[in-house]
Every structure is written in structure tokens, then in C-alpha cells.
Amino acid sequence: MVIANLWGCANGEILEYLAGLGEILGVTGKKLRRLSLFVRTVLCRSVSGMGRADLEEILEAAENFWYYMEAETARRAVEELRHVAVKLRDEDGEEFRWKALQGQIVEPGSIIAVYKPKKPKKKKDMGSPFWGIQIEDGSQHGKVLVKAGVSGTLYQFRMNNTNYGVIGHRTDRKEAIKEWMKKGGDY
């Protein structure tokens, strides 16, 4: 596969031959797809334009064939899988509680945190003919449930009076995620 794709995309005849060979050797379609994605990534040295599922497949293949992939390409793949699910500053919420554990695998829609929004401070309405009446803007009395938007491993940390919850790949590290957030982590 590496040689067939060395000068760009392999032609149909070569891919058919390889598919037949894979069938004889018992290589499933899923495994062949994973290996094809991995080969493309190794040759192109890029993970740009790939979806979440493809990136996960590449990292799964990299566990067995890590010596072919450059460390920088693997790092970029792991970074692409990061998803900031929780970013709550202390002044925006109170009674914050994690409902998922550190390092827990979460699925889309699962509740990972709960908090109560802080009520806005009361302020005087200067334009009111009733000078001195206190008006509250958009108060909420319920709790907010924060749900996971993607599947992956949850990394929790606190930095600069803010609670963060980042869903990433299981091979990621919390320290690397913190550094990524300090540099303006992508949302």
C-alpha cells in the first residue's frame, strides 16, 4: 500500500489487486481502511481535512506501527481530537460539580458537569421614571447540565479561576492539554 500510494493516489487496478490480496490474507474492510488512512497520513505527513472518526482510526493504527509515523504528525492528530466541553469561569457560575470522572470515557449526550448560573448583579435602571427601583436582568433559577458533544476521554482541570473539561483521545495528556489551552486552544 505504501508503494502503491508513493506518487499520489494509487490507480484502481492496483487497489483492486491489493483488495484481492487482502481478502486472501483475511484482512477485513475495516482494517484495510484503517491501514489506508494510516499510509496516507504517513506519506503526506498531514492530518488536515480529516474527520474525527478518521483521526481515531489513524491513532489506533499508530499503536501498532508507531515507528512509521513522525511524532509531530501524531501530536497534531491528538490535538485535532480535542474538544473543549466545559469552560466555566468562577464569575459565571456557582455550585459547579463534575458528574463524570477524570479520564472517564464519555459519549455524546452524557452529562459531564452541572452548575448553577450566577444571577446578574442588580443595577439601577437610569431610564426609568421610578428612580431607585432595582431591576434584575434574565435571572435563571435552574441548574445547567453540561453534556458531552463528542465521544472520547474527559480531562478535567482548573486554571486561572476557570474550570475546564476537554474531551480528547485516550493517549492524550492533561499537561499537554493545559499547555494547548494556554496557547489559546481551538474550540
Side-chain angles (χ1 to χ4, degrees):
M1 289 185 69
V2 172
I3 293 174
N5 288 289
L6 198 54
W7 290 277
C9 292
N11 69 32
E13 290 177 12
I14 292 173
L15 292 177
E16 247 182 80
Y17 173 76
L18 290 174
L21 187 60
E23 190 175 335
I24 291 169
L25 296 173
V27 177
T28 64
K30 182 178 179 181
K31 190 171 187 177
L32 186 61
R33 183 177 190 290
R34 177 182 289 173
L35 292 173
S36 296
L37 285 168
F38 183 75
V39 167
R40 177 209 173 270
T41 302
V42 168
L43 292 174
C44 295
R45 297 179 179 173
S46 173
V47 294
S48 64
M50 291 190 175
R52 190 169 188 82
D54 290 346
L55 290 168
E56 288 174 0
E57 290 292 331
I58 289 165
L59 291 172
E60 292 302 315
E63 287 185 17
N64 295 321
F65 305 107
W66 57 269
Y67 38 86
Y68 289 113
M69 184 180 277
E70 291 180 346
E72 179 64 19
T73 305
R75 184 191 61 76
R76 281 194 313 265
V78 169
E79 280 185 1
E80 287 287 324
L81 286 172
R82 291 177 184 160
H83 172 76
V84 180
V86 176
K87 182 180 179 184
L88 182 68
R89 298 177 307 167
D90 289 346
E91 62 261 16
D92 295 335
E94 57 192 5
E95 299 177 28
F96 179 84
R97 300 285 179 260
W98 289 107
K99 293 296 183 182
L101 302 172
Q102 176 74 271
Q104 181 177 335
I105 295 173
V106 296
E107 296 297 325
S110 58
I111 299 171
I112 56 176
V114 176
Y115 72 94
K116 186 176 181 182
K118 281 194 177 177
K119 294 179 183 175
K121 296 187 187 238
K122 294 180 181 180
K123 55 184 172 180
K124 293 181 182 180
D125 184 1
M126 301 298 216
S128 172
F130 305 102
W131 180 256
I133 295 177
Q134 303 293 317
I135 297 176
E136 280 190 18
D137 299 325
S139 62
Q140 294 179 316
H141 300 289
K143 291 197 176 192
V144 175
L145 303 175
V146 181
K147 297 181 180 182
V150 297
S151 62
T153 303
L154 178 64
Y155 297 92
Q156 309 164 347
F157 58 95
R158 187 166 165 74
M159 185 170 62
N160 300 329
N161 298 319
T162 304
N163 291 301
Y164 290 96
V166 177
I167 300 172
H169 192 260
R170 61 183 168 77
T171 60
D172 211 341
R173 297 179 3 262
K174 185 165 67 169
E175 296 77 27
I177 295 171
K178 282 183 176 182
E179 287 301 314
W180 178 72
M181 289 302 296
K182 285 177 187 176
K183 293 176 184 174
D186 207 11
Y187 303 117

